[in-house]
Amino acid sequence: MRAAFSAALVEAATRDERVVLLTGDHGYALFDEFRKRCPDQYINAGIAEQNMVGVAAGLAKAGFRPIVYGLSAFVPVRVVEQIKIDVCYEKLPVIFTGDGAGLVYSTLGTSHQSFEDIACLRSVPYIDIMSPCDAHELTACMSTALTLQSPVYMRMGKADLGSVHAKAPSLARGELACVQRGQSRVQFIATGSMVKTACTLGAELDVSVWSAPWIKPLDAGQLGALAASSSAFVTLEEHSAAGGLGAAVLEAISEANPVPVLRIGVGERFSETCGSHAHAMREHGLDLASVRARVEPFVDKWTMSDAC
């Protein structure tokens, strides 16, 4: 996914000299090709993320298309105020990219883990939130982000779990992508790294799987129609269960077609032990076995309710 991100940056900057990349002293190897091809469009703002957002806002007001890169624990979490006031208040076309979202920086502890970034931004007006599940969705998200004349935040997980799609999906803004069809009237809606887990369980339980490359906006019409033909939803995300995809889905369907929603995500806790990404996922109950233990009885319950 990060290779696709690097390629998308180079392609955008070589096509449009207004594209400027700003980094908070991160991503050196990732940007080797960019610095070689577009040296005058690269700014290392140093470990000064708040200032970097202000610089990006100024560049946007001057007609540039800034792309701000950082670890998601810092962009957006450290700079929510600057994103709100400097960028979103004036609806400036700045793209924020948060790398290492979720629990990927497991060994670095709570300071570098990021499972609140979506929640931090969902209530800020005028900003889109994207969460691609693989390189193909990332390419599609970047392409769309560059056409928008408004702020965008795109979160990326650093762990490359392989492709979900065969090619970049063609999606309208806010639309879900169906990646797997099943016969059950329970639907899985997943985002980012958890789409792979959803696909595995969907195949086992004969459940359709939808990927959510957008968290904000969500296509309320599509979700409402899906809810009208479903008995229940399961949402899966490498993010807090509070304020993330699951909460957005609940809000979108609550008035029109409410159905039960099981939200799989990080609970009300921080990491307490140190280990690999897989270890952190197990600790927070996001590994395949833990998710299966929660999802199977829920799917069985709402499948049986249909039969009755």
Side-chain angles (χ1 to χ4, degrees):
M1 187 184 294
R2 297 174 88 239
F5 175 61
S6 177
L9 287 176
V10 171
E11 195 276 333
T14 53
R15 186 182 68 248
D16 184 352
E17 63 182 11
R18 298 175 304 151
V19 171
V20 179
L21 172 64
L22 298 92
T23 176
D25 212 29
H26 287 117
Y28 292 112
L30 179 63
F31 301 135
D32 281 350
E33 184 67 16
F34 189 98
R35 290 199 305 271
K36 183 171 75 174
R37 299 273 299 275
C38 311
D40 295 334
Q41 293 162 261
Y42 175 83
I43 299 172
N44 185 348
I47 305 174
E49 289 88 353
Q50 293 95 333
N51 182 63
M52 176 169 63
V53 175
V55 171
L59 288 168
K61 293 189 77 171
F64 290 92
R65 294 303 311 266
I67 300 173
V68 177
Y69 173 89
L71 304 190
S72 63
F74 310 132
V75 177
V77 177
R78 180 175 287 173
V79 294
V80 171
E81 180 185 3
Q82 285 73 31
I83 291 174
K84 170 187 170 183
I85 300 300
D86 295 353
V87 175
C88 293
Y89 183 74
E90 301 201 48
K91 303 181 186 178
L92 297 175
V94 178
I95 299 171
F96 298 96
T97 55
D99 201 356
L103 299 167
V104 171
Y105 286 106
S106 53
T107 57
L108 299 180
T110 296
S111 64
H112 284 61
Q113 294 169 12
S114 173
F115 44 81
E116 64 287 307
D117 52 316
I118 293 171
C120 284
L121 286 183
R122 276 190 60 228
S123 60
V124 177
Y126 308 131
I127 187 166
D128 279 36
I129 301 175
M130 299 177 173
S131 175
C133 72
D134 66 3
H136 296 301
E137 277 194 0
L138 185 143
T139 300
C141 285
M142 278 295 292
S143 177
T144 300
L146 287 162
T147 68
L148 297 176
Q149 297 300 311
S150 54
V152 175
Y153 168 59
M154 185 173 68
R155 78 185 319 243
M156 299 186 294
K158 192 175 177 125
D160 194 346
L161 303 178
S163 293
V164 171
H165 300 278
K167 61 180 182 179
S170 177
L171 295 171
R173 183 168 173 249
E175 195 174 27
L176 302 174
C178 186
V179 295
Q180 192 169 290
R181 291 285 185 186
Q183 296 301 310
S184 172
R185 291 185 70 243
V186 178
Q187 308 281 341
F188 289 171
I189 303 175
T191 194
S193 66
M194 296 301 288
V195 175
K196 278 279 191 176
T197 300
C199 287
T200 299
L201 293 176
E204 293 177 7
L205 302 173
D206 200 18
V207 170
S208 293
V209 177
W210 298 81
S211 173
W214 265 273
I215 309 296
K216 178 189 174 187
L218 282 172
D219 187 327
Q222 183 191 26
L223 268 176
L226 192 59
S229 62
S230 304
S231 59
F233 288 157
V234 178
T235 62
L236 303 94
E237 56 194 309
E238 192 179 337
H239 181 273
S240 172
L245 170 66
V249 168
L250 275 168
E251 291 166 15
I253 66 171
S254 60
E255 294 184 9
N257 291 300
V259 297
V261 180
L262 173 63
R263 289 175 294 160
I264 302 294
V266 175
E268 185 76 2
R269 63 189 299 271
F270 294 110
S271 297
E272 298 174 357
T273 60
C274 184
S276 66
H277 181 225
H279 171 88
M281 294 290 276
R282 286 193 299 272
E283 181 183 351
H284 288 275
L286 296 181
D287 62 297
L288 179 60
S290 298
V291 175
R292 182 187 287 116
R294 290 189 62 193
V295 167
E296 276 188 341
F298 183 83
V299 171
D300 288 344
K301 173 184 176 180
W302 290 104
T303 300
M304 288 188 291
S305 72
D306 280 346
C308 295

